[in-house]
Amino acid sequence: MVDIPQRVLVHRIRAGRGLAATSATLRRRDPAMNAILQGTPVWVFALFFVLIWLGAKRLRPHTAPLARVWTVPAIFIVWGLSGLAAHNGAPLQIAAHWLLGALVGAALGAWSLSPGRLQFDHRNRLVRQPGSALPLLRNLAIFFGHYALQVFAATHPQMRDSAMGWDLYVSGFSAGFFIGWAIRFVLGLRSAPQTDLLVGAV
């Protein structure tokens, strides 16, 4: 039989206990994560992949119909307004918090768009946008802001009020961001000269 020094033996026992504890922790966390994913509505996953797809298309310069440009703003404006409607409590206080988030979002949304970098084909209702990673990052940031707060509220009932309070700001921010963006976009559209474009051109 091999004689193992006591110090080495103790070290191995402690290491084994550490691995066992880590494994147990992971096993405890997996069911929780599974429960979260299983409790997430299908439309949330669908929305996630749509936002990724639309954001990925903006990584390269491209020309698209004007109607398609409004898809993402419409999604987040409706989501932001639904977040306002879903909150219970003092109406004036809820509206004030939502409006604060919306004002910050509107300012940032208007600032984020440079109409001078866009080209418009007014006759064919087309727009050419430069390539940028910002739309993809923006979509994911707002999406995960909503999702993370909803999950936190569901898994930490004792802190639900606080989480939903922050979600109210995020709802206002997401709607306000795209309202500000839309105003700047429309102003750029009206003042832009005619440019002949082709759908799918890069």
Side-chain angles (χ1 to χ4, degrees), residues 2-20:
V2 179
D3 186 15
I4 301 176
Q6 184 177 3
R7 183 170 57 185
V8 175
L9 183 61
V10 170
H11 174 74
R12 290 183 180 180
I13 292 173
R14 289 178 176 175
R17 288 176 178 173
L19 290 174

Side-chain angles (χ1 to χ4, degrees), residues 28-157:
R28 287 195 300 268
R29 289 180 178 177
D30 285 344
M33 181 57 67
N34 289 336
I36 290 171
L37 294 176
Q38 291 174 1
T40 300
V42 175
W43 69 265
V44 174
F45 293 107
L47 176 60
F48 174 68
F49 288 113
V50 167
L51 292 175
I52 288 181
W53 176 66
L54 293 173
K57 289 178 69 69
R58 289 293 315 279
L59 293 175
R60 298 179 60 186
H62 76 292
T63 301
L66 273 173
R68 187 182 302 171
V69 173
W70 296 107
T71 303
V72 172
I75 289 173
F76 281 113
I77 290 174
V78 170
W79 199 1
L81 291 172
S82 65
L84 172 62
H87 281 75
N88 299 319
L92 291 179
Q93 184 178 6
I94 290 175
H97 291 172
W98 189 92
L99 185 59
L100 177 59
L103 290 175
V104 174
L108 188 58
W111 172 82
S112 70
L113 180 66
S114 299
R117 301 183 64 194
L118 305 177
Q119 295 177 313
F120 295 95
D121 185 336
H122 299 281
R123 287 192 296 268
N124 297 310
R125 304 294 293 172
L126 300 174
V127 59
R128 178 175 173 80
Q129 298 173 290
S132 172
L134 178 61
L136 178 60
L137 297 176
R138 172 203 64 202
N139 294 352
L140 293 179
I142 298 177
F143 176 89
F144 280 115
H146 273 295
Y147 185 70
L149 287 169
Q150 292 288 338
V151 170
F152 186 85
T155 55
H156 297 76

Side-chain angles (χ1 to χ4, degrees), residues 184-195:
R184 190 84 183 273
F185 184 88
V186 170
L187 292 176
L189 170 64
R190 291 182 175 179
S191 62
Q194 166 65 24
T195 302

